[in-house]
Amino acid sequence: MALVLTEEQSMLRDSARGLISDKAPVSHLRSLRDAKDPTGFSKEFWHSFAEMGFAGLLVPEEFGGSGLGFMEAGVVMEEIGRTLMPSPFLATSVIAASALNRGGNAAQKSEYLPKISNGSLLATLAIDEGAKHRPLQISLQAVRAGNGFKLSGAKALVVDGHVADLFIVAARTAGSAGERDGLTLFLVNPKAKGVAIERTIMVDAHNAARIELANVEVNADNVLGEVDQGATLLDGVLDIGRGAVASEMVGLSEEVFNRTVEYLKNRKQFGKLIGEFQALQHRAAELYVDIEITRAATMKALQALDADVAKATSAVAVAKARAGTTATRAVQEGVQMHGGMGMTDQFDIGFFMKRARVCEELFGDANYHTAQLAKARGY
Amino acid sequence: MSESENADLEQFRSETRAWLEANCPPEMRKPATSDTDVFWGGRNAKFASEPQRIWFERMRDKGWTVPDWPKEYGGGGLSAAEHKVLRSEMAKMGARPPLSSFGIWMLGPALLKYGNEAQKKEHLPKIAAGLIRWCQGYSEPNAGSDLASLQTRAESDGNDFVITGSKIWTSYANYADWIFCLVRTDPTAKKHDGISFILFDMTSKGVTTKPILLISGYSPFCETFFDGVRVPKSHVVGTVNRGWDVAKYLLQHERAMISGMGERGVGRPLGQIAADSVGTDAQGKLDDAMLRGQIATFDVDEAALAACAERAVDLAKAGQAHPAFSSAMKYYGTELNKRRYEILMSAGGVDALEWESERSRQGARPRAWLRTKANSIEGGTSEVMLGIVAKRILDLPGA
Ligand SMILES: Cc1cc2nc3c(=O)[nH]c(=O)nc-3n(C[C@H](O)[C@H](O)[C@H](O)COP(=O)(O)OP(=O)(O)OC[C@H]3O[C@@H](n4cnc5c(N)ncnc54)[C@H](O)[C@@H]3O)c2cc1C
């Protein structure tokens, strides 16, 4: 498989780019932030996005989606990264859709997937409990009760948690924190009794929440996949999410880089353009190379996911690790090379820095994935 | 790609794999251990071993010393897609290249693009068959990074040029049969406009070489002197005084080649090598957390670079490649290879310090470590590569 976009993928990119840059440039995020918008994204825009087929991009055609692959999802994520558009695409269309599609039974699929496709249902995965991403360190308990389970515990950084219509909650049905066995995924209604949701206003002005479950009752139909055997399903879904976030970070890095290079070509000091200073030229060139390499690694990961999710782990680890390092460098150089302008809220660059920090923590930072690769390689 | 093309390619893959399995001797399925273990061809070539000879001859007979060159010039006539398949199948089994040569990496591509038919017929098949070993006469004592300021002159005399001057850092000049050389044919023209690209035999009257000893203890290159060397004008490649175009095109190939140096994807993984000498803790992790981190970061970057190298080929095939992209790859690949050897030295500890002993294979590791330091100098320094990226790709201002 060639590591270049096909004609169809380029067309998808162009249409996503046109729509997003037109309707949701960085100023869109800024105004939602400034207005402390209760939803945190534009519902109206989300519906037009869904009408164009983006919401159901990964949903099979039989459930009303377009049945496309992770490469295509990555193409859209990259465009989202360019304008930092806040949207339910990652949580709902990529992660939840993949969880339901891969782990759901026939009834669950036909209930939820069509609604994801038409943009009417927002869903999200609730996984992390501690400050750092450690997917096996789950202690939220699910104890059997009658025909179902009772869930108790807390989750942090639940993306879109305060607006979601459906939570996919990773819980422990056996074993203890750190173990692979004994994890189970549950579909939980956020309106159920015992669910407490706190919207956490985050540094990047995107949506997230902490949630607390106190004896929340779910019945057996709400188990996604198999009881106690959720780790494998979770691995795949998380890897899909990581590939998508890496794509967002590629888009974000490239955008902040392009803006920085433009600035180097226009800002004058000491009677010349600052882009004439070799010290800055070389740093810009290094960053360019970093971004190109990261883009290739991310495409490789998405192709690996499309070929076989279960075998994509190392490629995904490489991509997410590289994307984290590169995005961090890109936003730091972006602020630095803009000088004082880079530090002002009035200027957009800071928005990229904030989003990069959040993307870095989402589903494992560069250190986490670098260590995962070492483990996979046996040293 | 259409379905039938895909099917053809899959068939080519399985045939290739089977052929390689049957024909690549086991000894040739691991990386060369030293420079003398590499087959360079040439008039005075000697094989280091019987398996080396067998492997070379079999590959040569298929045209696979230069798989993607046209068959009429001794190549394998493979399409870009087939070439990719062959390379990946060779990489999978760790098969080493049967022939290493500046003719293959640098001169060949330049001749294919700029050579006339007579030059192609004369030189390409000999390169493919490993009959002539080439060296590169670019750098001069006062023209390194600033290559176009070169002074070696070629004066017209009837049908010949008479060449006088000297070159430096000419790799393997003392073993080479022929040289591809940049000479100044018009001293009055602007810097880049008076240079020609010319080929001549190193046994010509007036050519002498003097080896230079390096920090690695080897002397793989020379000072090269030309004292009134007579060369027919028909040996100029491309147009007289327009040699800079040929030179630059060749440099792109040289840079791509150098960026691919280092044993990417072959040989034992760094983490295993380190575990052998450093040991592991109770959880099986390398018993040096910082080193483990360095290796893992290296592995991430290496895997990402490999993807980028693959993408560079795919972009070229799709006609979307930037001509200066080889500079980006050269910069990153060489810096990464230096990192690899710093890690290898660190992992080896005291054992990696031995210089002259049987146990150390005459200091193979420290010598290789020192050799990698040249990667970011030869073929254009890292600073020069970054300058090219800044100006040609990013279009930043200033000459
Ligand atoms: C192992 C090896 C093999 C070689 N083989 C050959 C060969 O076969 N044939 C051949 O012709 N040549 C060969 N070379 C020569 C090689 O191409 C030159 O060494 C190289 O181009 C650098 O030139 P220089 O050594 O004159 O360094 P200089 O140009 O003097 O550079 C010195 C330092 O200044 C920096 N510098 C120079 N200009 C700039 C600038 N504009 N901006 C920022 N920094 C700058 C350089 O990056 C470097 O760090 C070989 C070199 C090595 C090390």
Side-chain angles (χ1 to χ4, degrees), chain B residues 28 57 113 154 163 176 179 181 188 199 210 214 316 328 347 396 399:
Chain B
M28 294 293 111
E57 286 176 358
K113 185 167 164 84
I163 300 178
I179 187 168
C181 197
T188 62
L199 313 174
K210 193 170 132 210
L214 294 190
L396 287 171

Side-chain angles (χ1 to χ4, degrees), chain B residues 32 49 67 75 82 141 171 181 189 193 234 283 292 300 315 327 357 387 394:
Chain B
S49 69
E82 288 168 335
S171 293
C181 197
D193 294 342
S234 61
Q283 280 118 49
R292 180 174 188 259
V300 165
L315 282 170
S327 293
S357 68
L394 304 180

Side-chain angles (χ1 to χ4, degrees), chain B residues 246-305:
Chain B
V246 188
K248 272 193 311 185
Y249 182 75
L250 183 143
L251 276 172
Q252 278 175 31
H253 286 270
E254 177 176 11
R255 286 164 187 167
M257 181 274 292
I258 296 173
S259 77
M261 277 188 352
E263 313 131 68
R264 258 205 292 292
V266 296
R268 299 195 64 215
L270 274 185
Q272 307 291 328
I273 295 173
D276 284 353
S277 63
V278 178
T280 50
D281 67 13
Q283 280 118 49
K285 286 184 190 163
L286 195 62
D287 202 4
D288 179 335
M290 294 301 284
L291 181 62
R292 180 174 188 259
Q294 284 171 1
I295 294 177
T297 306
F298 173 87
D299 280 354
V300 165
D301 291 344
E302 186 191 47
L305 178 67

Side-chain angles (χ1 to χ4, degrees), chain A residues 1-5 257 261 264-265 273-278 280-286 288-290 292-297 299-300 303 317-319 321-322 329 369-375 377-379, chain B residues 84 270-272 275 280 284-286 292-293 295-297 299-305 307-308 310-311 314-315 318 320 322 325 328-329 331-332 382-387 389-391 393-398:
Chain A
M1 190 75 90
L3 286 171
V4 286
L5 295 186
F257 178 68
V261 169
L264 293 178
K265 290 176 185 173
L273 296 167
I274 58 172
E276 291 180 59
F277 294 117
Q278 195 182 55
L280 299 191
Q281 289 190 346
H282 284 192
R283 275 159 60 185
E286 282 176 20
Y288 164 82
V289 179
D290 266 355
E292 282 301 313
I293 282 170
T294 305
R295 166 182 298 286
M299 291 177 92
K300 194 85 188 163
Q303 276 186 2
V318 167
R322 271 301 310 204
R329 186 175 191 179
H369 287 291
T370 304
Q372 288 297 109
L373 188 72
K375 206 163 128 194
R377 293 192 172 183
Y379 62 88
Chain B
K84 192 171 170 179
L270 274 185
Q272 307 291 328
T280 50
K285 286 184 190 163
L286 195 62
R292 180 174 188 259
I295 294 177
T297 306
D299 280 354
V300 165
D301 291 344
E302 186 191 47
L305 178 67
C308 196
E310 190 182 332
R311 182 165 142 83
D314 294 336
L315 282 170
Q320 297 171 20
H322 192 290
F325 196 67
M329 296 295 288
Y331 158 71
Y332 200 87
S382 284
E383 291 75 23
V384 168
M385 294 306 104
L386 291 173
V389 169
K391 277 156 203 140
I393 301 183
L394 304 180
D395 203 22
L396 287 171

Side-chain angles (χ1 to χ4, degrees), chain B residues 72-150:
Chain B
E72 51 177 322
Y73 304 130
L78 299 189
S79 68
E82 288 168 335
H83 191 199
K84 192 171 170 179
V85 166
L86 171 61
R87 286 212 303 226
S88 84
E89 289 304 319
M90 283 177 68
K92 265 186 219 157
M93 67 166 62
R96 63 172 83 162
L99 173 65
S100 295
S101 115
F102 289 11
I104 294 176
W105 299 325
M106 303 183 212
L107 180 61
L111 276 180
L112 281 166
K113 185 167 164 84
Y114 289 98
N116 59 38
E117 197 49 36
Q119 290 167 338
K120 290 185 199 174
K121 283 228 167 69
E122 168 65 20
H123 297 295
L124 293 173
K126 290 183 187 163
I127 292 173
L131 296 174
I132 294 291
R133 183 166 177 178
W134 288 86
C135 65
Q136 175 187 31
Y138 274 33
S139 306
E140 298 182 8
N142 291 314
S145 299
D146 187 12
L147 180 59
S149 61
L150 61 92

